[in-house]
Amino acid sequence: MVEHPLLLLGVAFVANGFAATAGGGVGLIQLPLLLFLGLPYPQALATHKVASVALGVGAGTRYWRSGVLDKRFVLLILAAGLPGVFLGALGVLAIPSTVIRVVLGLLTAGLGLYSLRRRELGQVTVARHRDRRGLVLGGAGLFVIGLLNGSVTSGTGLFCTLWLVRWFGFDYKSAVAYTLALVGLAWNASGAATLGSFGEIRWSWLPWLLAGALSGSYVGAHIAVGSSNRWIKRAFEILTIGVGIRLLV
């Protein structure tokens, strides 16, 4: 029997709604809840990863319908990121969680501060690094972000969002679409499958988490599609700085 079904449902809805708007960060709210309710870290992480797949389903459905995704970048994000996710998930249990939290907290907060200082960042698409060399280097960056995504869960989608903005010149709205449709679905599914094969998943909690994630992410993505890049940029900055602080305290 699930003791806190409405709490799981509500937190998943809010967390995934924010993540679908800002381009990641669902673990800021959802993972700490699972830990607070008594799950050990490996089990909480595996359960969260499975539930996070619904973020990609809900938000991805809305973004695919918007027609903003380019097949070339879809394939690049999948081909470069999935091997990193797999390797990161294999090594997660060997890395001290305190070290992960501090490093990721500093990096994530740094993303928000960087974006905050660059007022025009991601407001319009300015194509950059679209040649072969640029795609290879961009893919290398996505591989590293995939490693982080597989080993830790809070905020790594935000890394992907800013990388697409900064390296390839996407505007925020387009970058969020790629992150939610591909990182939220394919990367998280890969990490969930790998972690699930090594650790126990709390299956009885998943229906409530999945229901909240599906509905929250679709609503969040719907709001983002109709919002300006300026508004999405602010949401990204608030969430990255919030994620960073939460990881450090």
Side-chain angles (χ1 to χ4, degrees), residues 4-21:
H4 310 281
L6 295 181
L7 179 60
L8 293 172
L9 179 68
V11 167
F13 180 90
V14 172
N16 284 272
F18 276 118
T21 302

Side-chain angles (χ1 to χ4, degrees), residues 2-147:
V2 182
E3 296 182 4
H4 310 281
L6 295 181
L7 179 60
L8 293 172
L9 179 68
V11 167
F13 180 90
V14 172
N16 284 272
F18 276 118
T21 302
V26 63
L28 169 66
I29 303 172
Q30 188 164 278
L31 182 62
L33 171 70
L34 301 182
L35 294 170
F36 176 76
L37 293 177
L39 294 187
Y41 182 77
Q43 186 179 33
L45 180 60
T47 303
H48 168 71
K49 279 292 185 184
V50 175
S52 295
V53 175
L55 171 64
V57 175
T61 298
R62 183 64 183 87
Y63 282 121
W64 279 109
R65 287 175 55 194
S66 69
V68 300
L69 303 180
D70 183 326
K71 183 182 296 185
R72 178 175 58 160
F73 283 99
V74 169
L75 294 175
L76 176 66
I77 294 170
L78 293 178
L82 286 176
V85 174
F86 177 73
L87 293 175
L90 288 178
V92 62
L93 299 181
I95 305 173
S97 60
T98 53
V99 174
I100 293 174
R101 289 175 65 89
V102 170
V103 173
L104 192 63
L106 291 172
L107 290 174
T108 306
L111 294 181
L113 294 173
Y114 175 83
S115 177
L116 193 63
R117 292 184 62 184
R118 293 178 173 263
R119 297 182 59 184
E120 299 307 313
L121 182 69
Q123 297 309 292
V124 295
T125 296
V126 181
R128 292 192 295 267
H129 303 126
R130 306 294 177 97
D131 58 359
R132 181 179 299 179
R133 180 176 180 274
L135 292 172
V136 169
L137 292 176
L142 290 167
F143 174 80
V144 173
I145 296 170
L147 284 172

